[in-house]
Amino acid sequence: AQSVTQPDIHITVSEGASLELRCNYSYGATPYLFWYVQSPGQGLQLLLKYFSGDTLVQGIKGFEAEFKRSQSSFNLRKPSVHWSDAAEYFCAVGALSGNTGKLIFGQGTTLQVKP
Amino acid sequence: DAGVTQSPTHLIKTRGQHVTLRCSPISGHKSVSWYQQVLGQGPQFIFQYYEKEERGRGNFPDRFSARQFPNYSSELNVNALLLGDSALYLCASSSPTANYGYTFGSGTRLTVV
């Protein structure tokens, strides 16, 4: 079955500390992988995506993610967290063929940033 | 350029009523997808439309339906509302030329009482 697991429901880090959010997926085909961020009451903003090529992907707001096929993981990292990064983070996987495709999301990780 | 726009932003309905949610994709995007996000969970796929044809459907009852218009805007309809339909409904548009960067709207918050 296709699924995405985000093992950490809630993470608290201090401002300026490094961050890693975990994402594991189960997908039969070659996966397309995404990380989205959602502020309270808002829609989803795309941070980065991986389709192929270099397994280390750079995104917006200083985020990066590394695709590890052997571990079925796509963890999100940031070297120094800012208070404005406090939000809900979602990992998603999808298969895109032609003009069709759907995303399967994890349950999300809530990031709290301590001053 | 305008992003994905959804209307209304909030609405309250009574059990048994029906509701229509609207979505306008980014200009040039021909694909629209709908997702339901229940509080505390990740979004769940409901429908995808491309060029006015349904290209995918999630595990939702027949009370949920959608359509896409010639200008690529879309409507999501839900009949016989249940309390459990209370959620944030998200619309996303995408295009192969945008390298499948699904862009989401801010959503419609539906409360069923």
Side-chain angles (χ1 to χ4, degrees), chain A residues 3-4 9 11 15 38 45 71 83:
Chain A
S3 66
V4 175
I9 296 174
I11 282 183
E15 189 169 17
Q38 185 177 37
Q45 181 182 22
Q71 299 177 17
W83 64 266

mmCIF file with all atom_site columns, all heavy atoms in Angstrom, chain A residues 3-4 9 11 15 38 45 71 83:
data_model
loop_
_atom_site.group_PDB
_atom_site.id
_atom_site.type_symbol
_atom_site.label_atom_id
_atom_site.label_alt_id
_atom_site.label_comp_id
_atom_site.label_asym_id
_atom_site.label_entity_id
_atom_site.label_seq_id
_atom_site.pdbx_PDB_ins_code
_atom_site.Cartn_x
_atom_site.Cartn_y
_atom_site.Cartn_z
_atom_site.occupancy
_atom_site.B_iso_or_equiv
_atom_site.pdbx_formal_charge
_atom_site.auth_seq_id
_atom_site.auth_comp_id
_atom_site.auth_asym_id
_atom_site.auth_atom_id
_atom_site.pdbx_PDB_model_num
ATOM 1  N N   . SER A 1 3  ? 1.910  4.774  1.190  1.00 0.00 ? 3  SER A N   1
ATOM 2  C CA  . SER A 1 3  ? 1.744  5.509  2.441  1.00 0.00 ? 3  SER A CA  1
ATOM 3  C C   . SER A 1 3  ? 2.947  6.384  2.706  1.00 0.00 ? 3  SER A C   1
ATOM 4  O O   . SER A 1 3  ? 4.019  6.188  2.130  1.00 0.00 ? 3  SER A O   1
ATOM 5  C CB  . SER A 1 3  ? 1.535  4.546  3.619  1.00 0.00 ? 3  SER A CB  1
ATOM 6  O OG  . SER A 1 3  ? 2.702  3.772  3.832  1.00 0.00 ? 3  SER A OG  1
ATOM 7  N N   . VAL A 1 4  ? 2.736  7.352  3.574  1.00 0.00 ? 4  VAL A N   1
ATOM 8  C CA  . VAL A 1 4  ? 3.793  8.234  4.041  1.00 0.00 ? 4  VAL A CA  1
ATOM 9  C C   . VAL A 1 4  ? 3.714  8.278  5.555  1.00 0.00 ? 4  VAL A C   1
ATOM 10 O O   . VAL A 1 4  ? 2.625  8.476  6.114  1.00 0.00 ? 4  VAL A O   1
ATOM 11 C CB  . VAL A 1 4  ? 3.640  9.648  3.460  1.00 0.00 ? 4  VAL A CB  1
ATOM 12 C CG1 . VAL A 1 4  ? 4.683  10.575 4.048  1.00 0.00 ? 4  VAL A CG1 1
ATOM 13 C CG2 . VAL A 1 4  ? 3.753  9.613  1.940  1.00 0.00 ? 4  VAL A CG2 1
ATOM 14 N N   . ILE A 1 9  ? 5.236  13.587 15.618 1.00 0.00 ? 9  ILE A N   1
ATOM 15 C CA  . ILE A 1 9  ? 4.032  14.400 15.534 1.00 0.00 ? 9  ILE A CA  1
ATOM 16 C C   . ILE A 1 9  ? 4.333  15.847 15.906 1.00 0.00 ? 9  ILE A C   1
ATOM 17 O O   . ILE A 1 9  ? 3.788  16.783 15.322 1.00 0.00 ? 9  ILE A O   1
ATOM 18 C CB  . ILE A 1 9  ? 2.938  13.832 16.448 1.00 0.00 ? 9  ILE A CB  1
ATOM 19 C CG1 . ILE A 1 9  ? 2.535  12.430 15.967 1.00 0.00 ? 9  ILE A CG1 1
ATOM 20 C CG2 . ILE A 1 9  ? 1.722  14.743 16.493 1.00 0.00 ? 9  ILE A CG2 1
ATOM 21 C CD1 . ILE A 1 9  ? 1.571  11.729 16.883 1.00 0.00 ? 9  ILE A CD1 1
ATOM 22 N N   . ILE A 1 11 ? 7.639  18.490 17.271 1.00 0.00 ? 11 ILE A N   1
ATOM 23 C CA  . ILE A 1 11 ? 9.053  18.727 17.547 1.00 0.00 ? 11 ILE A CA  1
ATOM 24 C C   . ILE A 1 11 ? 9.227  20.151 18.044 1.00 0.00 ? 11 ILE A C   1
ATOM 25 O O   . ILE A 1 11 ? 8.626  21.080 17.483 1.00 0.00 ? 11 ILE A O   1
ATOM 26 C CB  . ILE A 1 11 ? 9.907  18.483 16.292 1.00 0.00 ? 11 ILE A CB  1
ATOM 27 C CG1 . ILE A 1 11 ? 10.105 16.989 16.057 1.00 0.00 ? 11 ILE A CG1 1
ATOM 28 C CG2 . ILE A 1 11 ? 11.259 19.160 16.414 1.00 0.00 ? 11 ILE A CG2 1
ATOM 29 C CD1 . ILE A 1 11 ? 10.995 16.668 14.883 1.00 0.00 ? 11 ILE A CD1 1
ATOM 30 N N   . GLU A 1 15 ? 15.498 28.426 18.744 1.00 0.00 ? 15 GLU A N   1
ATOM 31 C CA  . GLU A 1 15 ? 15.853 29.263 17.610 1.00 0.00 ? 15 GLU A CA  1
ATOM 32 C C   . GLU A 1 15 ? 17.358 29.239 17.399 1.00 0.00 ? 15 GLU A C   1
ATOM 33 O O   . GLU A 1 15 ? 18.135 29.346 18.357 1.00 0.00 ? 15 GLU A O   1
ATOM 34 C CB  . GLU A 1 15 ? 15.371 30.694 17.826 1.00 0.00 ? 15 GLU A CB  1
ATOM 35 C CG  . GLU A 1 15 ? 15.507 31.577 16.597 1.00 0.00 ? 15 GLU A CG  1
ATOM 36 C CD  . GLU A 1 15 ? 14.791 32.913 16.748 1.00 0.00 ? 15 GLU A CD  1
ATOM 37 O OE1 . GLU A 1 15 ? 14.462 33.281 17.904 1.00 0.00 ? 15 GLU A OE1 1
ATOM 38 O OE2 . GLU A 1 15 ? 14.540 33.578 15.725 1.00 0.00 ? 15 GLU A OE2 1
ATOM 39 N N   . GLN A 1 38 ? 2.578  24.456 6.252  1.00 0.00 ? 38 GLN A N   1
ATOM 40 C CA  . GLN A 1 38 ? 1.248  25.052 6.432  1.00 0.00 ? 38 GLN A CA  1
ATOM 41 C C   . GLN A 1 38 ? 1.222  25.850 7.729  1.00 0.00 ? 38 GLN A C   1
ATOM 42 O O   . GLN A 1 38 ? 1.422  25.314 8.810  1.00 0.00 ? 38 GLN A O   1
ATOM 43 C CB  . GLN A 1 38 ? 0.178  23.963 6.470  1.00 0.00 ? 38 GLN A CB  1
ATOM 44 C CG  . GLN A 1 38 ? -1.243 24.492 6.528  1.00 0.00 ? 38 GLN A CG  1
ATOM 45 C CD  . GLN A 1 38 ? -2.273 23.364 6.498  1.00 0.00 ? 38 GLN A CD  1
ATOM 46 O OE1 . GLN A 1 38 ? -2.080 22.299 7.076  1.00 0.00 ? 38 GLN A OE1 1
ATOM 47 N NE2 . GLN A 1 38 ? -3.379 23.578 5.792  1.00 0.00 ? 38 GLN A NE2 1
ATOM 48 N N   . GLN A 1 45 ? 2.190  25.480 1.333  1.00 0.00 ? 45 GLN A N   1
ATOM 49 C CA  . GLN A 1 45 ? 3.213  26.104 0.502  1.00 0.00 ? 45 GLN A CA  1
ATOM 50 C C   . GLN A 1 45 ? 4.300  25.082 0.204  1.00 0.00 ? 45 GLN A C   1
ATOM 51 O O   . GLN A 1 45 ? 4.823  24.440 1.127  1.00 0.00 ? 45 GLN A O   1
ATOM 52 C CB  . GLN A 1 45 ? 3.824  27.323 1.196  1.00 0.00 ? 45 GLN A CB  1
ATOM 53 C CG  . GLN A 1 45 ? 4.886  28.035 0.357  1.00 0.00 ? 45 GLN A CG  1
ATOM 54 C CD  . GLN A 1 45 ? 5.521  29.206 1.079  1.00 0.00 ? 45 GLN A CD  1
ATOM 55 O OE1 . GLN A 1 45 ? 5.509  29.289 2.298  1.00 0.00 ? 45 GLN A OE1 1
ATOM 56 N NE2 . GLN A 1 45 ? 6.069  30.137 0.316  1.00 0.00 ? 45 GLN A NE2 1
ATOM 57 N N   . GLN A 1 71 ? 16.656 3.593  2.137  1.00 0.00 ? 71 GLN A N   1
ATOM 58 C CA  . GLN A 1 71 ? 15.943 3.730  3.411  1.00 0.00 ? 71 GLN A CA  1
ATOM 59 C C   . GLN A 1 71 ? 14.505 4.193  3.215  1.00 0.00 ? 71 GLN A C   1
ATOM 60 O O   . GLN A 1 71 ? 13.794 4.393  4.205  1.00 0.00 ? 71 GLN A O   1
ATOM 61 C CB  . GLN A 1 71 ? 16.690 4.711  4.317  1.00 0.00 ? 71 GLN A CB  1
ATOM 62 C CG  . GLN A 1 71 ? 18.103 4.274  4.667  1.00 0.00 ? 71 GLN A CG  1
ATOM 63 C CD  . GLN A 1 71 ? 18.836 5.311  5.519  1.00 0.00 ? 71 GLN A CD  1
ATOM 64 O OE1 . GLN A 1 71 ? 18.233 6.194  6.112  1.00 0.00 ? 71 GLN A OE1 1
ATOM 65 N NE2 . GLN A 1 71 ? 20.151 5.192  5.557  1.00 0.00 ? 71 GLN A NE2 1
ATOM 66 N N   . TRP A 1 83 ? 12.331 31.727 14.225 1.00 0.00 ? 83 TRP A N   1
ATOM 67 C CA  . TRP A 1 83 ? 11.030 31.654 14.901 1.00 0.00 ? 83 TRP A CA  1
ATOM 68 C C   . TRP A 1 83 ? 9.890  31.561 13.885 1.00 0.00 ? 83 TRP A C   1
ATOM 69 O O   . TRP A 1 83 ? 8.855  30.926 14.136 1.00 0.00 ? 83 TRP A O   1
ATOM 70 C CB  . TRP A 1 83 ? 10.808 32.851 15.827 1.00 0.00 ? 83 TRP A CB  1
ATOM 71 C CG  . TRP A 1 83 ? 10.749 34.178 15.115 1.00 0.00 ? 83 TRP A CG  1
ATOM 72 C CD1 . TRP A 1 83 ? 11.760 35.041 14.900 1.00 0.00 ? 83 TRP A CD1 1
ATOM 73 C CD2 . TRP A 1 83 ? 9.592  34.769 14.493 1.00 0.00 ? 83 TRP A CD2 1
ATOM 74 N NE1 . TRP A 1 83 ? 11.329 36.138 14.200 1.00 0.00 ? 83 TRP A NE1 1
ATOM 75 C CE2 . TRP A 1 83 ? 10.008 36.005 13.927 1.00 0.00 ? 83 TRP A CE2 1
ATOM 76 C CE3 . TRP A 1 83 ? 8.249  34.389 14.369 1.00 0.00 ? 83 TRP A CE3 1
ATOM 77 C CZ2 . TRP A 1 83 ? 9.122  36.847 13.255 1.00 0.00 ? 83 TRP A CZ2 1
ATOM 78 C CZ3 . TRP A 1 83 ? 7.372  35.228 13.701 1.00 0.00 ? 83 TRP A CZ3 1
ATOM 79 C CH2 . TRP A 1 83 ? 7.811  36.442 13.149 1.00 0.00 ? 83 TRP A CH2 1
#
